[in-house]
Amino acid sequence: NVTVNKNLTIDGASFEYTGTMTVNTSLTVTVQNVKFVKGCVTEAKGIHGNLKIADCTFDGVDNSIAYAVTMRGGDSITIENCTVIGGYDYGFVYIPSAVTNITLKDVKVDNASYGIHVAYGTTVTLENVEMTENVKYGVFTQNYGAKTITIKTSSLAAESPIFVWERTTNIDTFVFEGNNTVAKLTNVGSAALKLKVGATLAAPAT
């Protein structure tokens, strides 16, 4: 296991990493080119930090790890050009504490219970994200504070592409931009769904 306590970039040079990589959320850290095999990235709770994960693959192997990526607090998390093979007990990304900006771009989640599970957060963006039919919940939100989730040019074939765990005091807003494919829209509660001008939302071809 590795604990990161200073601002830096970790370049795995495409080597495999097994274990937990813990990052202080008060820092600015980039993790790139790592093949996580029975490994994960998690953050100790902090403020004003920024985490970027790029060009990585995640394979939990035996479901002994809850999530591939967990971020507890901080200003932003950006995940780009990453693939999740599966093998995690719950799924890919979990945001249990407030994070202002959450971005997934050019990401594929092939097998997971949760693609992204956001309890606390303000702005969430998915761009060119693919979640296959082997994912149970694509975007799972808990309404601890209203959130805006923008989905751009993505394919969410999950069993429940969008699932809102209902709290009537807050309303999550889902904004679709570009051409998107979503398996179905159920369990969205009182969420607001919006299509930007020129955007499309279609079911997968059968």
Side-chain angles (χ1 to χ4, degrees):
N1 296 335
V2 171
T3 299
V4 179
N5 284 315
K6 64 179 181 180
N7 298 326
L8 52 72
T9 294
I10 299 170
D11 193 320
S14 298
F15 282 99
E16 293 184 357
Y17 175 82
T18 297
T20 301
M21 189 178 292
T22 303
V23 179
N24 187 313
T25 53
S26 298
L27 304 173
T28 296
V29 174
T30 297
V31 179
Q32 61 190 30
N33 300 316
V34 179
K35 294 181 179 179
F36 288 91
V37 178
K38 204 173 180 180
C40 63
V41 179
T42 188
E43 293 209 325
K45 190 172 183 179
I47 58 173
H48 303 313
N50 300 281
L51 173 64
K52 181 177 181 180
I53 301 172
D55 304 302
C56 294
T57 59
F58 292 87
D59 186 352
V61 180
D62 61 4
N63 295 331
S64 61
I65 299 171
Y67 287 92
V69 178
T70 301
M71 187 166 183
R72 298 176 173 86
D75 284 346
S76 71
I77 176 170
T78 301
I79 301 175
E80 294 184 352
N81 197 32
C82 292
T83 300
V84 184
I85 297 168
Y88 291 91
D89 192 28
Y90 288 103
F92 182 30
V93 178
Y94 181 38
I95 311 294
S97 302
V99 178
T100 305
N101 293 291
I102 304 156
T103 301
L104 274 63
K105 183 177 180 180
D106 300 324
V107 166
K108 180 178 181 180
V109 184
D110 190 51
N111 197 323
S113 291
Y114 297 87
I116 178 169
H117 178 181
V118 184
Y120 291 87
T122 304
T123 303
V124 183
T125 301
L126 278 66
E127 182 174 356
N128 195 28
V129 170
E130 179 184 357
M131 296 188 186
T132 73
E133 64 276 5
N134 298 319
V135 177
K136 186 171 183 180
Y137 302 108
V139 182
F140 186 101
T141 69
Q142 292 174 262
N143 286 357
Y144 294 112
K147 293 172 280 295
T148 298
I149 300 96
T150 300
I151 300 173
K152 302 179 181 179
T153 320
S154 294
S155 175
L156 306 182
E159 182 180 331
S160 293
I162 295 172
F163 191 103
V164 177
W165 186 79
E166 191 62 55
R167 289 178 68 88
T168 58
T169 53
N170 299 291
I171 295 178
D172 289 341
T173 301
F174 290 83
V175 181
F176 293 90
E177 298 183 9
N179 300 321
N180 298 278
T181 302
V182 176
K184 58 184 177 181
L185 289 174
T186 58
N187 301 309
V188 297
S190 58
L193 305 178
K194 298 182 178 181
L195 277 177
K196 283 275 194 175
V197 175
T200 63
L201 183 61
T206 56

mmCIF file of all heavy atoms in Angstrom, residues 134-168:
data_model
loop_
_atom_site.group_PDB
_atom_site.id
_atom_site.type_symbol
_atom_site.label_atom_id
_atom_site.label_comp_id
_atom_site.label_asym_id
_atom_site.label_seq_id
_atom_site.Cartn_x
_atom_site.Cartn_y
_atom_site.Cartn_z
ATOM 1 N N ASN A 134 -23.628 -5.005 -18.269
ATOM 2 C CA ASN A 134 -23.148 -5.709 -17.077
ATOM 3 C C ASN A 134 -23.050 -4.804 -15.859
ATOM 4 O O ASN A 134 -22.598 -5.232 -14.795
ATOM 5 C CB ASN A 134 -21.772 -6.329 -17.355
ATOM 6 C CG ASN A 134 -21.816 -7.360 -18.468
ATOM 7 O OD1 ASN A 134 -22.741 -8.166 -18.544
ATOM 8 N ND2 ASN A 134 -20.829 -7.318 -19.345
ATOM 9 N N VAL A 135 -23.458 -3.545 -16.005
ATOM 10 C CA VAL A 135 -23.492 -2.592 -14.893
ATOM 11 C C VAL A 135 -24.925 -2.503 -14.372
ATOM 12 O O VAL A 135 -25.863 -2.386 -15.159
ATOM 13 C CB VAL A 135 -23.008 -1.201 -15.354
ATOM 14 C CG1 VAL A 135 -23.101 -0.193 -14.222
ATOM 15 C CG2 VAL A 135 -21.574 -1.296 -15.880
ATOM 16 N N LYS A 136 -25.092 -2.567 -13.051
ATOM 17 C CA LYS A 136 -26.452 -2.515 -12.497
ATOM 18 C C LYS A 136 -26.967 -1.084 -12.436
ATOM 19 O O LYS A 136 -28.034 -0.767 -12.956
ATOM 20 C CB LYS A 136 -26.501 -3.151 -11.116
ATOM 21 C CG LYS A 136 -27.925 -3.243 -10.565
ATOM 22 C CD LYS A 136 -28.002 -4.072 -9.306
ATOM 23 C CE LYS A 136 -29.461 -4.198 -8.852
ATOM 24 N NZ LYS A 136 -29.570 -5.011 -7.619
ATOM 25 N N TYR A 137 -26.232 -0.195 -11.777
ATOM 26 C CA TYR A 137 -26.614 1.214 -11.672
ATOM 27 C C TYR A 137 -25.566 2.059 -12.395
ATOM 28 O O TYR A 137 -24.399 2.066 -12.005
ATOM 29 C CB TYR A 137 -26.683 1.666 -10.207
ATOM 30 C CG TYR A 137 -27.635 0.870 -9.358
ATOM 31 C CD1 TYR A 137 -27.163 -0.028 -8.408
ATOM 32 C CD2 TYR A 137 -29.017 1.017 -9.495
ATOM 33 C CE1 TYR A 137 -28.032 -0.758 -7.610
ATOM 34 C CE2 TYR A 137 -29.896 0.289 -8.702
ATOM 35 C CZ TYR A 137 -29.395 -0.597 -7.765
ATOM 36 O OH TYR A 137 -30.259 -1.321 -6.995
ATOM 37 N N GLY A 138 -25.974 2.781 -13.427
ATOM 38 C CA GLY A 138 -25.022 3.614 -14.147
ATOM 39 C C GLY A 138 -24.605 4.826 -13.331
ATOM 40 O O GLY A 138 -23.473 4.942 -12.864
ATOM 41 N N VAL A 139 -25.555 5.752 -13.136
ATOM 42 C CA VAL A 139 -25.342 6.940 -12.299
ATOM 43 C C VAL A 139 -26.314 6.836 -11.131
ATOM 44 O O VAL A 139 -27.528 6.924 -11.305
ATOM 45 C CB VAL A 139 -25.592 8.239 -13.077
ATOM 46 C CG1 VAL A 139 -25.321 9.451 -12.186
ATOM 47 C CG2 VAL A 139 -24.724 8.294 -14.334
ATOM 48 N N PHE A 140 -25.776 6.612 -9.948
ATOM 49 C CA PHE A 140 -26.594 6.454 -8.743
ATOM 50 C C PHE A 140 -26.364 7.681 -7.867
ATOM 51 O O PHE A 140 -25.230 7.947 -7.461
ATOM 52 C CB PHE A 140 -26.191 5.192 -7.997
ATOM 53 C CG PHE A 140 -27.051 4.842 -6.806
ATOM 54 C CD1 PHE A 140 -28.027 3.859 -6.904
ATOM 55 C CD2 PHE A 140 -26.880 5.485 -5.588
ATOM 56 C CE1 PHE A 140 -28.820 3.515 -5.810
ATOM 57 C CE2 PHE A 140 -27.663 5.165 -4.490
ATOM 58 C CZ PHE A 140 -28.642 4.168 -4.598
ATOM 59 N N THR A 141 -27.427 8.450 -7.602
ATOM 60 C CA THR A 141 -27.263 9.641 -6.769
ATOM 61 C C THR A 141 -28.112 9.536 -5.518
ATOM 62 O O THR A 141 -29.214 9.004 -5.535
ATOM 63 C CB THR A 141 -27.644 10.933 -7.514
ATOM 64 O OG1 THR A 141 -29.061 10.953 -7.740
ATOM 65 C CG2 THR A 141 -26.910 11.057 -8.828
ATOM 66 N N GLN A 142 -27.547 10.045 -4.434
ATOM 67 C CA GLN A 142 -28.287 10.214 -3.187
ATOM 68 C C GLN A 142 -28.449 11.706 -2.989
ATOM 69 O O GLN A 142 -27.488 12.463 -3.082
ATOM 70 C CB GLN A 142 -27.530 9.590 -2.013
ATOM 71 C CG GLN A 142 -27.456 8.082 -2.089
ATOM 72 C CD GLN A 142 -26.583 7.499 -1.000
ATOM 73 O OE1 GLN A 142 -25.432 7.191 -1.229
ATOM 74 N NE2 GLN A 142 -27.131 7.363 0.185
ATOM 75 N N ASN A 143 -29.667 12.135 -2.735
ATOM 76 C CA ASN A 143 -29.956 13.567 -2.741
ATOM 77 C C ASN A 143 -29.538 14.291 -1.462
ATOM 78 O O ASN A 143 -30.331 14.914 -0.791
ATOM 79 C CB ASN A 143 -31.442 13.804 -3.007
ATOM 80 C CG ASN A 143 -31.786 13.562 -4.457
ATOM 81 O OD1 ASN A 143 -30.912 13.279 -5.255
ATOM 82 N ND2 ASN A 143 -33.044 13.669 -4.798
ATOM 83 N N TYR A 144 -28.273 14.168 -1.111
ATOM 84 C CA TYR A 144 -27.716 14.987 -0.040
ATOM 85 C C TYR A 144 -27.198 16.271 -0.686
ATOM 86 O O TYR A 144 -26.038 16.413 -1.007
ATOM 87 C CB TYR A 144 -26.577 14.251 0.663
ATOM 88 C CG TYR A 144 -27.007 13.010 1.408
ATOM 89 C CD1 TYR A 144 -26.618 11.758 0.974
ATOM 90 C CD2 TYR A 144 -27.805 13.098 2.547
ATOM 91 C CE1 TYR A 144 -27.003 10.613 1.659
ATOM 92 C CE2 TYR A 144 -28.195 11.962 3.231
ATOM 93 C CZ TYR A 144 -27.791 10.726 2.786
ATOM 94 O OH TYR A 144 -28.165 9.591 3.461
ATOM 95 N N GLY A 145 -28.081 17.223 -0.908
ATOM 96 C CA GLY A 145 -27.718 18.436 -1.626
ATOM 97 C C GLY A 145 -27.958 18.252 -3.105
ATOM 98 O O GLY A 145 -27.574 17.242 -3.692
ATOM 99 N N ALA A 146 -28.642 19.223 -3.709
ATOM 100 C CA ALA A 146 -28.984 19.118 -5.128
ATOM 101 C C ALA A 146 -27.723 19.123 -5.987
ATOM 102 O O ALA A 146 -26.778 19.865 -5.726
ATOM 103 C CB ALA A 146 -29.898 20.267 -5.522
ATOM 104 N N LYS A 147 -27.722 18.300 -7.027
ATOM 105 C CA LYS A 147 -26.592 18.181 -7.929
ATOM 106 C C LYS A 147 -27.043 18.388 -9.372
ATOM 107 O O LYS A 147 -28.194 18.115 -9.708
ATOM 108 C CB LYS A 147 -25.965 16.784 -7.797
ATOM 109 C CG LYS A 147 -25.311 16.525 -6.451
ATOM 110 C CD LYS A 147 -24.877 15.087 -6.311
ATOM 111 C CE LYS A 147 -26.030 14.165 -5.939
ATOM 112 N NZ LYS A 147 -26.605 14.436 -4.611
ATOM 113 N N THR A 148 -26.122 18.838 -10.215
ATOM 114 C CA THR A 148 -26.362 18.897 -11.655
ATOM 115 C C THR A 148 -25.448 17.888 -12.321
ATOM 116 O O THR A 148 -24.229 17.958 -12.190
ATOM 117 C CB THR A 148 -26.088 20.300 -12.216
ATOM 118 O OG1 THR A 148 -26.979 21.235 -11.604
ATOM 119 C CG2 THR A 148 -26.303 20.322 -13.726
ATOM 120 N N ILE A 149 -26.062 16.928 -13.020
ATOM 121 C CA ILE A 149 -25.308 15.872 -13.695
ATOM 122 C C ILE A 149 -25.467 16.060 -15.195
ATOM 123 O O ILE A 149 -26.579 15.963 -15.722
ATOM 124 C CB ILE A 149 -25.793 14.473 -13.273
ATOM 125 C CG1 ILE A 149 -25.625 14.268 -11.767
ATOM 126 C CG2 ILE A 149 -25.044 13.392 -14.040
ATOM 127 C CD1 ILE A 149 -26.853 14.537 -10.954
ATOM 128 N N THR A 150 -24.373 16.367 -15.886
ATOM 129 C CA THR A 150 -24.399 16.551 -17.335
ATOM 130 C C THR A 150 -23.863 15.293 -18.003
ATOM 131 O O THR A 150 -22.772 14.821 -17.669
ATOM 132 C CB THR A 150 -23.552 17.764 -17.752
ATOM 133 O OG1 THR A 150 -24.085 18.943 -17.124
ATOM 134 C CG2 THR A 150 -23.582 17.957 -19.264
ATOM 135 N N ILE A 151 -24.629 14.763 -18.943
ATOM 136 C CA ILE A 151 -24.245 13.550 -19.665
ATOM 137 C C ILE A 151 -24.093 13.904 -21.139
ATOM 138 O O ILE A 151 -25.047 14.329 -21.786
ATOM 139 C CB ILE A 151 -25.289 12.437 -19.461
ATOM 140 C CG1 ILE A 151 -25.403 12.109 -17.962
ATOM 141 C CG2 ILE A 151 -24.925 11.194 -20.265
ATOM 142 C CD1 ILE A 151 -26.512 11.141 -17.618
ATOM 143 N N LYS A 152 -22.855 13.764 -21.654
ATOM 144 C CA LYS A 152 -22.546 14.169 -23.016
ATOM 145 C C LYS A 152 -22.099 12.969 -23.850
ATOM 146 O O LYS A 152 -21.181 12.244 -23.465
ATOM 147 C CB LYS A 152 -21.403 15.201 -23.041
ATOM 148 C CG LYS A 152 -21.635 16.462 -22.246
ATOM 149 C CD LYS A 152 -20.404 17.358 -22.343
ATOM 150 C CE LYS A 152 -20.553 18.638 -21.554
ATOM 151 N NZ LYS A 152 -19.327 19.484 -21.643
ATOM 152 N N THR A 153 -22.754 12.770 -24.965
ATOM 153 C CA THR A 153 -22.320 11.782 -25.960
ATOM 154 C C THR A 153 -21.895 10.479 -25.294
ATOM 155 O O THR A 153 -20.777 9.999 -25.473
ATOM 156 C CB THR A 153 -21.160 12.348 -26.807
ATOM 157 O OG1 THR A 153 -21.405 13.718 -27.093
ATOM 158 C CG2 THR A 153 -21.033 11.596 -28.118
ATOM 159 N N SER A 154 -22.793 9.906 -24.517
ATOM 160 C CA SER A 154 -22.473 8.716 -23.743
ATOM 161 C C SER A 154 -23.481 7.605 -24.001
ATOM 162 O O SER A 154 -24.589 7.852 -24.487
ATOM 163 C CB SER A 154 -22.437 9.057 -22.251
ATOM 164 O OG SER A 154 -21.373 9.949 -21.961
ATOM 165 N N SER A 155 -23.080 6.390 -23.655
ATOM 166 C CA SER A 155 -23.943 5.227 -23.801
ATOM 167 C C SER A 155 -24.066 4.540 -22.449
ATOM 168 O O SER A 155 -23.085 3.994 -21.929
ATOM 169 C CB SER A 155 -23.355 4.258 -24.838
ATOM 170 O OG SER A 155 -24.129 3.070 -24.903
ATOM 171 N N LEU A 156 -25.265 4.588 -21.891
ATOM 172 C CA LEU A 156 -25.511 3.985 -20.579
ATOM 173 C C LEU A 156 -26.482 2.820 -20.768
ATOM 174 O O LEU A 156 -27.696 2.993 -20.762
ATOM 175 C CB LEU A 156 -26.092 5.021 -19.617
ATOM 176 C CG LEU A 156 -25.305 6.326 -19.453
ATOM 177 C CD1 LEU A 156 -25.989 7.233 -18.436
ATOM 178 C CD2 LEU A 156 -23.860 6.063 -19.051
ATOM 179 N N ALA A 157 -25.928 1.633 -20.931
ATOM 180 C CA ALA A 157 -26.748 0.435 -21.155
ATOM 181 C C ALA A 157 -26.982 -0.332 -19.865
ATOM 182 O O ALA A 157 -27.430 -1.472 -19.888
ATOM 183 C CB ALA A 157 -26.084 -0.458 -22.194
ATOM 184 N N ALA A 158 -26.678 0.296 -18.745
ATOM 185 C CA ALA A 158 -26.828 -0.356 -17.441
ATOM 186 C C ALA A 158 -28.277 -0.752 -17.190
ATOM 187 O O ALA A 158 -29.208 -0.224 -17.803
ATOM 188 C CB ALA A 158 -26.354 0.586 -16.338
ATOM 189 N N GLU A 159 -28.466 -1.689 -16.266
ATOM 190 C CA GLU A 159 -29.819 -2.125 -15.906
ATOM 191 C C GLU A 159 -30.667 -0.935 -15.467
ATOM 192 O O GLU A 159 -31.821 -0.791 -15.862
ATOM 193 C CB GLU A 159 -29.733 -3.164 -14.794
ATOM 194 C CG GLU A 159 -31.066 -3.737 -14.363
ATOM 195 C CD GLU A 159 -30.924 -4.767 -13.268
ATOM 196 O OE1 GLU A 159 -29.873 -5.444 -13.204
ATOM 197 O OE2 GLU A 159 -31.869 -4.911 -12.459
ATOM 198 N N SER A 160 -30.102 -0.069 -14.637
ATOM 199 C CA SER A 160 -30.733 1.210 -14.263
ATOM 200 C C SER A 160 -29.730 2.309 -14.587
ATOM 201 O O SER A 160 -28.851 2.612 -13.774
ATOM 202 C CB SER A 160 -31.093 1.245 -12.777
ATOM 203 O OG SER A 160 -32.111 0.332 -12.472
ATOM 204 N N PRO A 161 -29.808 2.909 -15.785
ATOM 205 C CA PRO A 161 -28.810 3.916 -16.176
ATOM 206 C C PRO A 161 -28.744 5.096 -15.209
ATOM 207 O O PRO A 161 -27.674 5.619 -14.936
ATOM 208 C CB PRO A 161 -29.288 4.357 -17.562
ATOM 209 C CG PRO A 161 -30.112 3.226 -18.059
ATOM 210 C CD PRO A 161 -30.784 2.656 -16.853
ATOM 211 N N ILE A 162 -29.922 5.523 -14.721
ATOM 212 C CA ILE A 162 -29.987 6.608 -13.740
ATOM 213 C C ILE A 162 -30.868 6.135 -12.588
ATOM 214 O O ILE A 162 -31.987 5.672 -12.795
ATOM 215 C CB ILE A 162 -30.579 7.885 -14.356
ATOM 216 C CG1 ILE A 162 -29.658 8.431 -15.444
ATOM 217 C CG2 ILE A 162 -30.834 8.943 -13.292
ATOM 218 C CD1 ILE A 162 -30.258 9.574 -16.237
ATOM 219 N N PHE A 163 -30.342 6.233 -11.390
ATOM 220 C CA PHE A 163 -31.113 5.826 -10.214
ATOM 221 C C PHE A 163 -30.957 6.901 -9.148
ATOM 222 O O PHE A 163 -29.849 7.202 -8.727
ATOM 223 C CB PHE A 163 -30.629 4.483 -9.670
ATOM 224 C CG PHE A 163 -31.538 3.879 -8.631
ATOM 225 C CD1 PHE A 163 -32.392 2.836 -8.966
ATOM 226 C CD2 PHE A 163 -31.536 4.345 -7.325
ATOM 227 C CE1 PHE A 163 -33.241 2.266 -8.009
ATOM 228 C CE2 PHE A 163 -32.375 3.797 -6.366
ATOM 229 C CZ PHE A 163 -33.231 2.748 -6.711
ATOM 230 N N VAL A 164 -32.073 7.495 -8.730
ATOM 231 C CA VAL A 164 -32.054 8.541 -7.707
ATOM 232 C C VAL A 164 -32.638 7.976 -6.424
ATOM 233 O O VAL A 164 -33.799 7.557 -6.393
ATOM 234 C CB VAL A 164 -32.853 9.784 -8.151
ATOM 235 C CG1 VAL A 164 -32.873 10.833 -7.036
ATOM 236 C CG2 VAL A 164 -32.252 10.373 -9.425
ATOM 237 N N TRP A 165 -31.805 7.931 -5.391
ATOM 238 C CA TRP A 165 -32.277 7.529 -4.074
ATOM 239 C C TRP A 165 -32.981 8.730 -3.458
ATOM 240 O O TRP A 165 -32.369 9.750 -3.182
ATOM 241 C CB TRP A 165 -31.110 7.080 -3.202
ATOM 242 C CG TRP A 165 -31.497 6.520 -1.879
ATOM 243 C CD1 TRP A 165 -31.974 5.271 -1.618
ATOM 244 C CD2 TRP A 165 -31.411 7.181 -0.614
ATOM 245 N NE1 TRP A 165 -32.209 5.114 -0.284
ATOM 246 C CE2 TRP A 165 -31.878 6.279 0.368
ATOM 247 C CE3 TRP A 165 -31.013 8.461 -0.209
ATOM 248 C CZ2 TRP A 165 -31.932 6.597 1.715
ATOM 249 C CZ3 TRP A 165 -31.070 8.786 1.132
ATOM 250 C CH2 TRP A 165 -31.519 7.867 2.077
ATOM 251 N N GLU A 166 -34.274 8.643 -3.304
ATOM 252 C CA GLU A 166 -35.122 9.815 -3.106
ATOM 253 C C GLU A 166 -34.973 10.484 -1.746
ATOM 254 O O GLU A 166 -35.004 9.844 -0.710
ATOM 255 C CB GLU A 166 -36.593 9.410 -3.298
ATOM 256 C CG GLU A 166 -37.539 10.586 -3.374
ATOM 257 C CD GLU A 166 -37.220 11.468 -4.565
ATOM 258 O OE1 GLU A 166 -37.178 10.957 -5.681
ATOM 259 O OE2 GLU A 166 -36.998 12.660 -4.346
ATOM 260 N N ARG A 167 -34.788 11.781 -1.791
ATOM 261 C CA ARG A 167 -34.952 12.667 -0.630
ATOM 262 C C ARG A 167 -35.687 13.891 -1.167
ATOM 263 O O ARG A 167 -35.199 14.587 -2.048
ATOM 264 C CB ARG A 167 -33.614 13.073 -0.010
ATOM 265 C CG ARG A 167 -32.916 11.937 0.723
ATOM 266 C CD ARG A 167 -31.577 12.389 1.268
ATOM 267 N NE ARG A 167 -31.715 13.346 2.339
ATOM 268 C CZ ARG A 167 -31.845 13.025 3.622
ATOM 269 N NH1 ARG A 167 -31.885 11.750 3.974
ATOM 270 N NH2 ARG A 167 -31.949 13.948 4.556
ATOM 271 N N THR A 168 -36.852 14.156 -0.659
ATOM 272 C CA THR A 168 -37.724 15.163 -1.263
ATOM 273 C C THR A 168 -37.238 16.594 -1.061
ATOM 274 O O THR A 168 -37.746 17.512 -1.684
ATOM 275 C CB THR A 168 -39.144 15.044 -0.692
ATOM 276 O OG1 THR A 168 -39.093 15.192 0.738
ATOM 277 C CG2 THR A 168 -39.751 13.688 -1.036
#
